[in-house]
Amino acid sequence: RVGRVYVGLSLLRVESAVAAVRHEIRVLGTAVFVIGLLSIWLLTGLVLEPLRRVSAAAAAVREGDMTRRARTGSRDEVGELGRTFDAMLDRLAAAHAGLREANRTLEERVAARTAELQAQVEDRVSLALGQRIAGHQGALGLLAVRGCADDPHKVVEVVQCDLVALEDVGAVERLLQAE
């Protein structure tokens, strides 16, 4: 045996190089992570914004605002959904306006027909009353001609019929006024 040789290497340089690489990997990893998060956030906003517009328009329509539109502007499937939704609202608003016009026209026709029927009822009541009164006057005349005008029972009967006729007319008039 001749001797021993001790070879010593310093690991300080290797350890510092490994530490520098680890630091660079951490910095790069963090930067890639932050850039990825920002990219996802921006892309999500770009994708979800048209959906949010359609959703907000649907909520406004649910609350009764038929003027609200989605107006997505994008050319993808979500944009097509927004355009379809807007077209549906346009047709729905037109149908709603048509229904309002039909309702207004119907109300006018009902009012005119009601007035016409009321006039007919009044004419018939007046005619019936006139006929009853003429009939009773004729009956009184006949009673007088026959000499029965002095019969109190016959006179009471004729007067009662006149009162009933007048009560009928009063009931019809109250009915007409109530309408």
Side-chain angles (χ1 to χ4, degrees), residues 120-135 169:
Q120 288 178 2
V121 167
E122 289 172 358
D123 289 346
R124 287 182 182 175
V125 167
S126 295
L127 179 64
L129 181 60
Q131 288 173 348
R132 278 191 173 178
I133 290 174
V169 169

Side-chain angles (χ1 to χ4, degrees), residues 54-69 85 89:
V54 172
S55 178
V61 169
R62 181 186 66 224
E63 298 300 319
D65 181 7
M66 299 293 285
T67 62
R68 185 76 177 268
R69 298 294 182 264
F85 184 79
L89 285 178

Side-chain angles (χ1 to χ4, degrees), residues 21-102:
V21 168
R22 283 185 182 162
H23 178 69
E24 286 176 11
I25 289 175
R26 275 192 226 116
V27 168
L28 273 171
T30 303
V32 167
F33 182 74
V34 168
I35 290 171
L37 280 179
L38 285 173
S39 298
I40 289 172
W41 182 69
L42 288 173
L43 287 174
T44 303
L46 289 174
V47 170
L48 291 181
E49 182 58 29
L51 284 175
R52 286 186 188 114
R53 287 182 183 172
V54 172
S55 178
V61 169
R62 181 186 66 224
E63 298 300 319
D65 181 7
M66 299 293 285
T67 62
R68 185 76 177 268
R69 298 294 182 264
R71 299 191 203 321
T72 56
S74 61
R75 302 214 181 271
D76 57 0
E77 291 83 3
V78 176
E80 180 63 27
L81 173 67
R83 286 186 296 280
T84 302
F85 184 79
D86 289 347
M88 178 191 68
L89 285 178
D90 291 339
R91 286 192 305 274
L92 188 60
H96 191 45
L99 283 175
R100 274 194 311 259
E101 177 61 25

Side-chain angles (χ1 to χ4, degrees), residues 135-163:
H136 291 304
Q137 286 174 344
L140 282 175
L142 283 175
L143 286 175
V145 168
R146 291 186 182 163
C148 299
D150 294 333
D151 184 0
H153 295 296
K154 296 284 183 184
V155 173
V156 167
E157 186 179 310
V158 171
V159 170
Q160 284 177 338
C161 286
D162 283 343
L163 289 174

